[in-house]
Amino acid sequence: MKIVAVEAIPFAVPYRKPLRFASGEVHTAEHVLVRVHTGDGIVGVAEAPPRPYTYGETQTSIRAVIDTLFAPGIIGLSVFERERIHAVLDRTVANPTAKAALDMACWDAIGRALGTGVSELLGGWTDRMRVSHMVGFAPDDVMVAEALRMRDEHGVRTFKVKVGRRPVSLDTGACRALRTALGDDVELYVDGNRGWTASEATRALDEMADLGLTLSEELVPADQVLGRRRLTAHTRVPTVADESVTRPGEVTRELLDGAATMISIKTARTGFTGSQRVLHLCEGLGAEVVMGNQIDGQIGTVCTVAFGAAHRSSSARAGELSNYLDMVDDLLTEPLRITGGELCVPTGPGLGIEIDPDKLARYRTDL
């Protein structure tokens, strides 16, 4: 099971509509398919979604760091030697999604070799998760129509609303419109992508105090240390750290500083190995988690649901598992299906998925 080759293949799939939020907008999923080949002929796969406005990575930088630094360092190691693999990856700072994709591709290869699903290897708690859908910036009536469609067509009853615009009334009004249209039995929470100051976020949460919001995520940038503390102390809505917690040390800092009360885990950012470390740290500190989304395609979504369903605490809340529906196509032979507001973990060894070679040939951008 020694690694003999690593591929970082760029591909681009258009979104059905631009996805807009406080830190930027995206029109095309310009991702990287990572494939880890072993000497036994097994190939593990994963997906790296670059987010330059969040982590500084681009499609080009992900390919470059994998091809020139990571692949030469891990070729010759066994996919089972995860600690040694991470020792190689950790010599280079940052580059979280490149590292995460390599980690998850190795786990996929391990599962395929053992004939066991990755979700079972990670913990095997359940075989599905409830789905949360992200509603991005748009006029109120468009946001409401999207949420109603997701509820009626897919049974989704949890919605993450992007906020962070100025004036804050744009977003407080949108949340109020969503609550009015969806009723009280649907869960709403907000994600600011660091778009507001602490005073703006405090005012916004006060204005929405009667809407029954369940979470507030990254309303304020991480470097506004005192502001984040004041906001968390002021509100009864749990505050979720996301972009500010790319590794376990940052998780500890945010929780112990009182800057957040919950943590968003993204397998696209911390892989399976790092995500498990974050999850266990949160369990030890008594902090809840939510499974987040990096605007992943179907490959990344499978990784999220596989990890989230594997553990009791990460499966307790709805996971952000529907962003792939915003893409016009994907690379899998068997598309994912959200039914009754839930997404099941694919069955089969490893991640339980296969890449469609024709679709990969159509959407890859390096040929």
Side-chain angles (χ1 to χ4, degrees), residues 110-193:
I110 289 170
R112 291 171 187 267
L114 299 177
T116 304
V118 165
S119 196
E120 294 177 86
L121 294 174
L122 288 168
W125 173 252
T126 183
D127 66 349
R128 67 195 64 208
M129 286 189 72
R130 290 182 296 119
V131 174
S132 170
H133 179 68
M134 182 190 84
V135 182
F137 292 162
D140 290 1
D141 60 335
V142 176
M143 296 172 71
V144 166
E146 179 180 353
L148 290 173
R149 178 180 62 80
M150 289 299 298
R151 185 194 65 182
D152 296 343
E153 292 183 11
H154 301 284
V156 173
R157 305 195 68 79
T158 301
F159 295 92
K160 170 178 178 170
V161 186
K162 289 294 186 179
V163 298
R165 293 178 289 183
R166 293 184 174 91
V168 298
S169 58
L170 287 171
D171 292 327
T172 59
C175 289
R176 191 164 298 280
L178 285 163
R179 175 58 77 202
T180 299
L182 295 168
D184 293 334
D185 61 341
V186 166
E187 180 181 348
L188 292 180
Y189 63 102
V190 293
D191 176 12
N193 292 116

Side-chain angles (χ1 to χ4, degrees), residues 62-268:
I62 289 172
R63 294 182 65 204
V65 77
I66 289 177
D67 290 342
T68 63
L69 289 178
F70 295 158
I74 67 174
I75 287 175
L77 296 176
S78 166
V79 291
F80 289 98
E81 296 175 311
R82 294 192 305 278
E83 286 293 305
R84 296 185 65 187
I85 290 171
H86 277 272
V88 171
L89 303 183
D90 291 343
R91 287 203 299 263
T92 302
V93 299
N95 297 281
T97 66
K99 295 174 180 178
L102 283 168
D103 174 80
M104 294 188 291
C106 287
W107 274 92
D108 184 35
I110 289 170
R112 291 171 187 267
L114 299 177
T116 304
V118 165
S119 196
E120 294 177 86
L121 294 174
L122 288 168
W125 173 252
T126 183
D127 66 349
R128 67 195 64 208
M129 286 189 72
R130 290 182 296 119
V131 174
S132 170
H133 179 68
M134 182 190 84
V135 182
F137 292 162
D140 290 1
D141 60 335
V142 176
M143 296 172 71
V144 166
E146 179 180 353
L148 290 173
R149 178 180 62 80
M150 289 299 298
R151 185 194 65 182
D152 296 343
E153 292 183 11
H154 301 284
V156 173
R157 305 195 68 79
T158 301
F159 295 92
K160 170 178 178 170
V161 186
K162 289 294 186 179
V163 298
R165 293 178 289 183
R166 293 184 174 91
V168 298
S169 58
L170 287 171
D171 292 327
T172 59
C175 289
R176 191 164 298 280
L178 285 163
R179 175 58 77 202
T180 299
L182 295 168
D184 293 334
D185 61 341
V186 166
E187 180 181 348
L188 292 180
Y189 63 102
V190 293
D191 176 12
N193 292 116
R194 316 173 308 283
W196 283 331
T197 64
S199 58
E200 288 171 326
T202 300
R203 180 178 139 211
L205 289 180
D206 284 348
E207 289 183 9
M208 296 186 289
D210 62 326
L211 298 185
L213 299 180
T214 55
L215 306 173
S216 64
E217 180 179 311
E218 291 287 13
L219 300 184
V220 178
D223 56 4
Q224 292 189 20
V225 178
L226 296 180
R228 284 167 70 97
R229 290 180 188 173
R230 286 197 305 272
L231 176 66
T232 298
H234 172 82
T235 180
R236 293 183 179 181
V237 180
T239 54
V240 182
D242 178 16
E243 300 99 309
S244 57
V245 288
T246 61
R247 54 187 185 272
E250 293 174 339
V251 172
T252 304
R253 178 199 66 201
E254 292 298 295
L255 292 175
L256 296 188
D257 277 357
T261 58
M262 286 182 58
I263 299 297
S264 174
I265 295 178
K266 290 182 176 176
T267 54

Side-chain angles (χ1 to χ4, degrees), residues 1 49 147-148 220 224 299 358 363:
M1 290 295 291
L148 290 173
V220 178
Q224 292 189 20
I299 303 169
D358 294 331
Y363 293 115

